[in-house]
């Protein structure tokens, strides 16, 4: 087995879709926040945290664009 091999995460956990690939960072940020909140509401804390971290990444990119 390759040392760099990692198990892939399921593409669609709990029926929630990933954030769409779009150049609009504001839309990505909003979509990811929505997915985080939905995950939190259904009790998937791990997935919610992953989406919150992703949303934070988009927020930082948006702040850099504004600067």
């Amino acid at each position: 087995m390759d040392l760099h091999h990692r198990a892939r995460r399921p593409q669609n956990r709990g029926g929630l879709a990933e954030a769409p690939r779009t150049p609009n960072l504001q839309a990505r940020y909003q979509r990811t926040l929505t997915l985080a909140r939905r995950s939190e509401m259904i009790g998937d804390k791990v997935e919610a945290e992953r989406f919150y971290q992703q949303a934070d990444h988009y927020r930082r990119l948006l702040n850099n664009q504004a600067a």
Side-chain angles (χ1 to χ4, degrees), residues 4-27:
H4 299 293
H5 175 75
R6 287 191 245 167
R8 293 182 59 128
R9 289 183 62 107
Q11 293 297 317
N12 191 357
R13 291 186 50 176
L16 298 177
E18 294 287 331
R21 296 197 183 276
T22 174
N24 185 341
L25 288 177
Q26 184 65 38

Side-chain angles (χ1 to χ4, degrees), residues 7-56:
R8 293 182 59 128
R9 289 183 62 107
Q11 293 297 317
N12 191 357
R13 291 186 50 176
L16 298 177
E18 294 287 331
R21 296 197 183 276
T22 174
N24 185 341
L25 288 177
Q26 184 65 38
R28 285 184 186 189
Y29 173 70
Q30 292 298 326
R31 174 76 173 149
T32 308
L33 269 182
T34 299
L35 292 171
R37 291 175 181 141
R38 286 182 186 171
S39 295
E40 198 169 37
M41 285 175 49
I42 64 172
D44 191 345
K45 294 178 182 179
V46 173
E47 196 72 357
E49 180 61 26
R50 183 175 76 86
F51 282 126
Y52 279 127
Q53 288 178 5
Q54 189 174 0
D56 187 53

Side-chain angles (χ1 to χ4, degrees), residues 23 25-26 28-29 54-67:
L25 288 177
Q26 184 65 38
R28 285 184 186 189
Y29 173 70
Q54 189 174 0
D56 187 53
H57 169 73
Y58 292 135
R59 183 188 50 76
R60 282 184 263 118
L61 290 175
L62 285 166
N63 288 343
N64 285 342
Q65 277 186 347

